Amino acid sequence: MNVNQSVPPVPSFGQPQPVYPGYHQSSYGGQSGSTAPTIPYGAYNGPVSGYQQTPPQGMSRAPPSSGAPPTSTAQAPCGQAAYGQFGQGDVQNGPSSTVQMQRLPGSQPFGSPLAPVGNQPAVLQPYGPPPTSAQVTAQLSGMQISGAVAPAPPSSGLGYGPPTSLASASGSFPNSGLYGSYPQGQAPPLSQAQGHPGIQTPQRSAPSQASGFTPPASGGPRLPSMTGPLLPGQSFGGPSVSQPNHVSSPPPQALPPGTQMTGPLGPLPPMHSPQQPGYQPQQNGSFGPTRGPQPNYGSPYPAAPTFGSQSGPQPLPPKRLDPDAIPSPIQVIEDDRNNRGTEPFVTGVRGQVPPLVTTNFLVKDQGNASPRYIRCTSYNIPCTSDMAKQAQVPLAAVIKPLARLPPEEASPYVVDHGESGPLRCNRCKAYMCPFMQFIEGGRRFQCCFCSCINDVPPQYFQHLDHTGKRVDAYDRPELSLGSYEFLATVDYCKNSKFPSPPAFIFMIDVSYNAIRTGLVRLLCEELKSLLDFLPREGGAEESAIRVGFVTYNKVLHFYNVKSSLAQPQMMVVSDVADMFVPLLDGFLVNVNESRAVITSLLDQIPEMFADTRETETVFVPVIQAGMEALKAAECAGKLFLFHTSLPIAEAPGKLKNRDDRKLINTDKEKTLFQPQTGAYQTLAKECVAQGCCVDLFLFPNQYVDVATLSVVPQLTGGSVYKYACFQVENDQERFLSDLRRDVQKVVGFDAVMRVRTSTGIRAVDFFGAFYMSNTTDVELAGLDGDKTVTVEFKHDDRLNEESGALLQCALLYTSCAGQRRLRIHNLALNCCTQLADLYRNCETDTLINYMAKFAYRGVLNSPVKAVRDTLITQCAQILACYRKNCASPSSAGQLILPECMKLLPVYLNCVLKSDVLQPGAEITTDDRAYVRQLVTSMDVAETNVFFYPRLLPLTKSPIESTTEPPAVRASEERLSNGDMYLLENGLNLFLWVGASVQQGVVQSLFSVSSFSQITSGLSVLPVLDNPLSKKVRGLIDSLRAQRSRYMKLIVVKQEDKLEMLFKHFLVEDKSLSGGASYVDFLCHMHKEIRQLLS
Amino acid sequence: MATYLEFIQQNEERDGVRFSWNVWPSSRLEATRMVVPLACLLTPLKERPDLPPVQYEPVLCSRPTCKAVLNPLCQVDYRAKLWACNFCFQRNQFPPAYGGISEVNQPAELMPQFSTIEYMIQEDDLQALKESLQMSLSLLPPDALVGLITFGRMVQVHELSCEGISKSYVFRGTKDLTAKQIQDMLGLTKPAMPMQQARPVQPQEHPFASTRFLQPVHKIDMNLTDLLGELQRDPWPVTQGKRPLRSTGVALSIAVGLLEGTFPNTGARIMLFTGGPPTQGPGMVVGDELKIPIRSWHDIEKDNARFMKKATKHYEMLANRTAANGHCIDIYACALDQTGLLEMKCCANLTGGYMVMGDSFNTSLFKQTFQRIFTKDFNGDFRMAFGATLDVKTSRELKIAGAIGPCVSLNVKGPCVSENELGVGGTSQWKICGLDPTSTLGIYFEVVNQHNAPIPQGGRGAIQFVTHYQHSSTQRRIRVTTIARNWADVQSQLRHIEAAFDQEAAAVLMARLGVFRAESEEGPDVLRWLDRQLIRLCQKFGQYNKEDPTSFRLSDSFSLYPQFMFHLRRSPFLQVFNNSPDESSYYRHHFARQDLTQSLIMIQPILYSYSFHGPPEPVLLDSSSILADRILLMDTFFQIVIYLGETIAQWRKAGYQDMPEYENFKHLLQAPLDDAQEILQARFPMPRYINTEHGGSQARFLLSKVNPSQTHNNLYAWGQETGAPILTDDVSLQVFMDHLKKLAVSSAC
């Protein structure tokens, strides 16, 4: 690339140019025109070559990508070159191929929704024969930039990827046009150019080092790696035939590496300089546009910290966006950690934006709920709905009412207001809180939500001090804290009866599959000990929770485990069409009292069904049975369902296999996410009414229709765990760990949540695992400390800047000991009349959480593409509004992002390319439904890492250091083949081992002598007594401890088949399924914004 | 003609048959004027130790509509090797072998089964029942198959073959299921065979699956004993003011369905043990609200028994299905309150099952009754038979009007079936699913010979009863009884006919008719009908001068009949006053199946008197027999009452019996006890045993039965030195007879 850049194959481009313009016009329209300047081309040439490869799909399309390359050169020659080409080239020759792949598909969906299909096939071709990494990367970078303009080109089929490039733009666009031309006639020349860059990669790697990237391992190793890719390149040639560009390129690769290498060297140096400047956030968070200097990477950046693309016209030199110059999540996280991680967050002040979820901080409750309980998208709400509409920033709160707190923070105090129950506003029924105004000497109080004036009951009377505060304000949690609990009176209980302690029912599939995999035996064995760890309240000696057992296949088996029995008794219910519970006494028992019988039962279950040949299962009747059992016992509770297969036995809720990948990307795709029959919803409704929460553990070998099966867990506040192709040896640890955590975690049952707000805004929409029978009450059969409810607010009136906006979330629930309680969280927000205030107080992580949930719900009803477009549009509108109203005037080519939202594009891109919204070929329908369902109740920290995985280098930091190593950005460019990385996203955990990792490291971690001997796909690291092993295992343990689900480790070797899996999580890169790279997306976003602005 | 008495007795001994008339009026018209229909009481399995089974196939008349069995009444042409059927006069060829056949033997491969249903409320009660059941296991032949179903709110079918964990299939107590559904749910249905292979699969190979629920006793003795041992009362809580939920209807339905699917047409018993009324689901008799009592006769009259019709329908449906399968249902209901026997009675009535009613399973009444079911005869076989069909053939002058007893119609029409129905008619065959040596049917005939077609002097009518049944030894047997009686012309031979009247049989047969009508019609109407019949009979056979009651006389063969009718009118079979619907059903059940002797006891209890004046003697069932210095022993079939006269009671209180010098008093006290014991031993079901004395509250059992010849109304009119006055407004026998005479001689009637 470097070469290209420096050399500006202008000439070559020149030729294409003619074509180009034409292209623009047609596809790009106005923009292209403006950008028309061929100038960029010069820069482009280099990239172009790379680019061409991508084009394979549509000849014409391909070109747009070419535009990109120039940009890269322009901006950060070194950086990009180094990264894109070199870094990758060196380290990941193999991967390069993937890059291509990703790109193509990505482009489709993105830029040009229209032509997606066509693109994909193209993708495949490139894939097989990986082009040299260097080239590819180069192309990518180049493409993107140019693409920005291109988005229009969607027509081209390149799709988003290439066009995206914000391109610095405009300049680049013309390029795209060029591309089109390329393929046709001039490919050859380009190809040569390309070839060179590709070859040069090794050298480039060096530059990359300079840039500060991961220090490449010794040169030696690289060479070999290079060769590897070369071969693919050749193969590439084959496919390329169809596409002239590509074809041409491969041959060059084939050339002796040496020659190629030399070429690139020259350019390298320049690249470095630009990088240094890097990107610097502006004060207000806007990125300054790089000015004219596009050609020079260095100059623009340093000069203006803002990063942006230039307006097409002037800047001759199209530039590449330097990945280092665009907002880095890692940097933002680091900064926040450093700035805010040291001081406790005191909640006394209204409208304070809390530290990021990735920052460790302590919270001091001084009147507002901790951000662990509530996080808002913005802490400063526009006063009017007009403003809100203008900004398009969703106003939402992510509420986790029963969040677990770190040991240093006190859990909410329990307040007992005696027989009369908690004190509430007579009109709006809001609960007493610190914001209530006491007046008339304390005899009355004015509700802070509805302004109603209420009498203070005599027993609650207290005098006011000179400031109008009650004298006892600090003695009463409800007057001084943001979060606290009330003891509920009998009026708050179902049937006006205090609830009985809840019960857990374990319902085990004993069909052939479950027996064969050893699941039943494993589970029964585990339950024996696990039953000692049922959740208990406070210091209670033994858990109040009773347990029951059911096994089932086509019929249900209930067990009488009454303590007085010598042997458990089995009761078979085969009337699954009309389920009922055959026994009461002896079904739900105290564990300690019935231990002998339970143990005997758990011993016998695996034996009893050892010879089963029953393969059919039922599902709905099982849940119904559990629910009926709870109903009969008059208590709330939780069902733990262990299920293996699609319920095809004749019974209510019988399902058929309707998995159909052909529906993807059609209007009918949404049906894949919808339940097959209404029976599940009906059942869920009954469960909710009974306070019966369902946790589902799935062990499918094939399609089980998660979308349908998860309906009940979803609506009852339960969890779904899925272990595809479960095998005891491999998945035991994960399953047992999840099970233990799930069984032990504290749960609130039979809960109702209500969010009250001050006049002016209103909770209008809710997301999460729950059921709603009316528009205001969130009903949760069960709610644990991991589940969140996201609430969206809308204006229904004006807000007052002075009084701000108040939220009160009240959760009525039954504790595990059977106590009825109310948990209250209060939060006061500021209100603003200036949009800038809104943008200054936003929380991007929360915003993403909301948007992801919004989108994931959207796929139930709309085509996925529409959902994606909505997201992009909304994001563009948010940013455009900022640009228009808040940013200092600057050229249109500048991309200016609000400081608080500068990560919005990258994160949003991650959402867009997530499996649900953009499924890859390897993602099953069940997986998508599963993830969709998981995200619905994730909190902000979980969505953050889920969408943007953490990538931790293992050998960078000194071995002694006990802290987590600083993360690196999730991009292939950031990987060094001499290092190892841990990647986690809350569900998956990978250990990536570079091909050139030192032997000693391999030895001390894997206990094998060389890289090649490491078992790919290994899931457990050997326990070795050396510092490195201890450290890595310790790190893995600590990562797991941070997440609510056990992450199974997968060791991935560089260039191994499994690596594909791993790369899927490098979210800044293009994805195989067509997701755009960060850079591409940023460019695209910029384009969208500009369109909105113009 | 004392010979007739002997003749009657002899016939009963030999054939188990007693006719109301032993000489038959030869024309239809005359027969109807005889008032008491020509009918007989048949005890098909009357024990005949002297009757060895014959090992041949019976020889049948070859006419397809007849198929009567060769019998001694047939004319035999020995030379031609022909015999003429005495019913249809068809001439038949003899088969190679010939013998005087009345009982034939045929191997059968299946064995009797006992299926048990049980449930109870009170712990100690349940305990008692469990013990009884466990005891019963030891009485069963080791290869008998048994199953266990328990029910309460739910119904559980217990799997008996499993090791370790005890396993049962549970059904909702409120949902009626078809046999097919039940079999599906129990996993009894074999996977459907492909149609092309629809070859007859060996029927012997009974579904494997059934073995899970029905197992030979010897195999699961221990299992079942443990299972019974671990039975607990229904674990579902019974809230204050509610009855426990009891799904009897569904439990029965499942038991029926289970047997239907596994052993159709094989002898089997379903034994239902219930401690209370069905309170839910199909067949519920009363709601679970305690404040609403179970229906009484009063409610039924007022049409206030809201569940009765539906429940009855349910049980009738079950009973019919069971009967069709050849199984029988026993009901053992032990509770202080009613248990719904009224609704469930058909289950036992139609299938020939037993019905036992007691206060508690923990009484000897139940325990011994239950034990007695498993008594064996002199051959060591159970006194029970299964799946019997009774085929009745008559000579041409007669037609069959119907049968009353523990049977169901098989709906076999034929030339000998009358259009007029008495009892269960319209058929010449009945099915009796369960019967024992005392099971007795009343069979009613119609004389169809026209008046103008006289039968030659000395002509005889013949009736053949062919009973196929499965002996408890699993053999299939056929018992053939052929009887013949002389025809007589009423005009000329009324005296003969009169003399051949069997008033005991007639009383029982009329009573059965009355009870049968009472079951379906209003009570008072039946009484009126009975009265009218009696009056007509008296008019027909009495000797009197018109309008002169004092001149009225009845011949010996009729003399007791009015008295039987008097007591029948007062009996619980026709009087529902003071009886619950359940009790009525219970009494009627037994009345419709006991043999003549027992039936007579039921109609007119027997009263013995013990005193120092002489040996024990039967005395009039009359209040005048209640004397201070007597001990009375009354046997009403359902109750055995020992009543100590006032003086005797005082003596006993004074402890004379313990003084050596009054040993004779001790003996006197002991005598009725011993006699009672003897009755108790023989009786099934075990009667309620009541030992009471003058003034005791239980004396009411005696006082309600005796003829109230002395009441508070006529106390002073009669001599005070004899008997005890009864506080009742009921008419006494004397008054009854006076009225009868008056009406009989009145020409207005």
Side-chain angles (χ1 to χ4, degrees), chain A residues 557 559-560 562 564-585 601 604 608 632, chain B residues 153-154 156 159 163-175 177 184-187 227 230-232 234-237:
Chain A
H557 319 110
Y559 295 94
N560 183 346
K562 200 173 167 173
S564 59
L565 292 177
Q567 276 283 327
Q569 290 175 351
M570 176 204 251
M571 297 183 169
V572 185
V573 173
S574 20
D575 189 3
V576 289
D578 187 9
M579 204 55 221
F580 63 97
V581 186
L583 79 171
L584 179 65
D585 188 26
L601 172 67
Q604 288 188 55
M608 273 191 295
Chain B
R153 185 190 182 108
M154 310 286 170
Q156 280 176 264
E159 194 168 294
E163 306 285 321
I165 257 182
S166 72
K167 202 170 165 186
S168 59
Y169 283 69
V170 189
F171 294 83
R172 194 191 271 277
T174 52
K175 186 177 173 188
L177 299 164
D184 281 347
M185 288 176 183
L186 290 177
L227 204 56
E230 281 207 332
L231 276 185
Q232 303 157 339
D234 199 19
W236 295 89

Side-chain angles (χ1 to χ4, degrees), chain A residues 238-390:
Chain A
S240 63
V241 175
S242 61
Q243 304 165 353
N245 294 339
H246 286 280
V247 178
S248 64
S249 63
Q253 290 178 351
L255 298 177
T259 57
Q260 294 174 352
M261 303 284 287
T262 58
L265 292 177
L268 295 179
M271 315 221 8
H272 291 282
S273 62
Q275 281 191 348
Q276 293 171 350
Y279 123 7
Q280 299 175 350
Q282 274 195 341
Q283 299 166 350
N284 54 355
S286 65
F287 296 88
T290 48
R291 290 293 160 103
Q294 296 78 357
N296 312 325
Y297 338 89
S299 64
Y301 284 95
T306 57
F307 128 114
S309 58
Q310 217 191 8
S311 59
Q314 305 171 349
L316 307 179
K319 42 182 176 173
R320 276 192 76 188
L321 279 177
D322 173 4
D324 276 349
I326 54 181
S328 157
I330 303 302
Q331 193 59 47
V332 171
I333 289 170
E334 266 319 293
D335 289 349
D336 194 75
R337 264 190 198 147
N338 295 335
N339 297 336
R340 305 195 64 176
T342 48
E343 292 286 307
F345 178 69
V346 181
T347 69
V349 184
R350 185 173 86 183
Q352 272 186 114
V353 182
L356 295 183
V357 283
T358 43
T359 302
N360 286 323
F361 60 99
L362 275 189
V363 181
K364 289 204 170 144
D365 186 344
Q366 293 201 351
N368 282 302
S370 156
R372 300 188 207 288
Y373 295 123
I374 306 182
R375 271 186 179 265
C376 292
T377 52
S378 171
Y379 288 81
N380 204 325
I381 300 181
C383 278
T384 65
S385 62
D386 287 347
M387 268 177 78
K389 270 182 202 141
Q390 201 184 351

Side-chain angles (χ1 to χ4, degrees), chain B residues 683-694:
Chain B
R683 183 73 44 82
F684 176 91
M686 173 103 156
R688 180 186 293 263
Y689 179 57
I690 298 153
N691 209 334
T692 186
E693 60 184 27
H694 175 79

Side-chain angles (χ1 to χ4, degrees), chain B residues 2-14 17-20 22 485 499-505 596:
Chain B
T3 51
Y4 263 117
L5 276 181
E6 288 164 13
F7 171 79
I8 289 168
Q9 211 150 31
Q10 184 190 340
N11 265 291
E12 187 182 9
E13 282 301 309
R14 192 184 64 214
V17 177
R18 275 186 76 164
F19 273 93
S20 51
N22 287 295
R485 294 290 187 275
F501 181 65
D502 182 344
Q503 54 184 338
E504 292 178 344
L596 181 136

Side-chain angles (χ1 to χ4, degrees), chain A residues 727 729-731 734 989-993 1006 1011-1022 1040 1047-1062:
Chain A
Q727 283 180 306
E729 317 79 69
N730 298 335
D731 304 294
R734 173 164 162 244
L989 179 62
F990 293 96
L991 175 59
W992 184 87
V993 187
F1006 298 99
F1011 175 78
S1012 61
Q1013 283 176 290
I1014 300 174
T1015 318
S1016 164
L1018 196 68
S1019 61
V1020 182
L1021 291 181
R1040 282 174 177 160
M1047 297 180 288
K1048 181 178 158 188
L1049 178 70
I1050 301 179
V1051 173
V1052 172
K1053 291 162 70 180
Q1054 187 176 7
E1055 308 209 5
D1056 187 80
K1057 260 185 274 171
L1058 276 176
E1059 201 182 17
M1060 292 300 307
L1061 204 58
F1062 171 76

Side-chain angles (χ1 to χ4, degrees), chain B residues 709-723:
Chain B
S709 56
Q710 292 142 302
T711 70
H712 56 288
N713 293 324
N714 60 9
L715 184 56
Y716 301 103
W718 290 68
Q720 289 178 351
E721 73 284 6
T722 57

Side-chain angles (χ1 to χ4, degrees), chain A residues 1001-1068:
Chain A
V1001 171
V1002 170
Q1003 180 67 45
S1004 51
L1005 205 52
F1006 298 99
S1007 190
V1008 294
S1009 55
S1010 71
F1011 175 78
S1012 61
Q1013 283 176 290
I1014 300 174
T1015 318
S1016 164
L1018 196 68
S1019 61
V1020 182
L1021 291 181
V1023 179
L1024 300 174
D1025 189 17
N1026 64 63
L1028 181 66
S1029 175
K1030 280 184 189 161
K1031 181 183 166 190
V1032 172
R1033 284 183 289 113
L1035 183 58
I1036 290 173
D1037 289 344
S1038 98
L1039 290 180
R1040 282 174 177 160
Q1042 291 168 27
R1043 305 297 170 208
S1044 59
R1045 287 166 188 243
Y1046 183 90
M1047 297 180 288
K1048 181 178 158 188
L1049 178 70
I1050 301 179
V1051 173
V1052 172
K1053 291 162 70 180
Q1054 187 176 7
E1055 308 209 5
D1056 187 80
K1057 260 185 274 171
L1058 276 176
E1059 201 182 17
M1060 292 300 307
L1061 204 58
F1062 171 76
K1063 284 187 183 162
H1064 183 63
F1065 296 97
L1066 298 176
V1067 290
E1068 285 201 25

Side-chain angles (χ1 to χ4, degrees), chain A residues 622-814:
Chain A
V622 182
I623 294 182
Q624 202 170 8
M627 188 256 300
E628 296 283 350
L630 295 179
K631 193 186 274 180
E634 294 178 322
C635 66
K638 195 161 170 179
L639 313 183
F640 296 83
L641 225 68
F642 304 89
H643 192 79
T644 58
S645 57
L646 194 66
I648 51 170
E650 199 52 58
K654 174 184 173 179
L655 298 182
K656 55 179 190 291
N657 188 334
R658 48 132 189 199
D659 188 13
D660 184 2
R661 295 192 62 85
K662 285 202 285 290
L663 295 182
I664 292 175
N665 282 325
T666 68
D667 281 356
K668 285 193 177 158
E669 184 171 1
K670 61 188 176 195
T671 59
L672 296 179
F673 297 109
Q674 294 165 342
Q676 271 189 49
T677 91
Y680 288 75
Q681 267 129 326
T682 317
L683 174 65
K685 219 152 97 181
E686 291 171 30
C687 286
V688 171
Q690 183 51 44
C692 166
C693 171
V694 179
D695 277 0
L696 177 60
F697 292 79
L698 285 170
F699 307 86
N701 282 334
Q702 52 196 359
Y703 181 71
V704 289
D705 200 347
V706 173
T708 307
L709 296 191
S710 64
V711 165
V712 179
Q714 171 80 21
L715 292 183
T716 58
S719 313
V720 179
Y721 297 84
K722 182 164 157 288
Y723 309 90
C725 300
F726 181 82
Q727 283 180 306
V728 167
E729 317 79 69
N730 298 335
D731 304 294
Q732 155 172 14
E733 196 51 42
R734 173 164 162 244
F735 164 56
L736 292 184
S737 172
D738 283 346
L739 176 64
R740 285 176 199 138
R741 207 172 327 197
D742 195 51
V743 169
Q744 294 175 24
K745 72 184 166 192
V746 171
V747 191
F749 293 97
D750 205 3
V752 180
M753 187 179 107
R754 175 87 182 252
V755 179
R756 292 185 173 80
T757 49
S758 34
T759 319
I761 54 169
R762 198 159 46 88
V764 291
D765 205 352
F766 301 83
F767 304 83
F770 54 74
Y771 173 76
M772 291 186 76
S773 55
N774 56 36
T775 54
T776 52
D777 294 336
V778 176
E779 297 174 34
L780 300 123
L783 176 68
D784 60 48
D786 296 325
K787 296 278 185 310
T788 50
V789 176
T790 298
V791 185
E792 191 195 359
F793 303 97
K794 286 250 162 71
H795 287 78
D796 58 3
D797 203 350
R798 261 189 85 84
L799 286 168
N800 186 333
E801 222 174 340
E802 218 168 89
S803 53
L806 301 176
L807 308 182
Q808 183 178 74
C809 162
L811 178 82
L812 174 64
Y813 70 101
T814 304

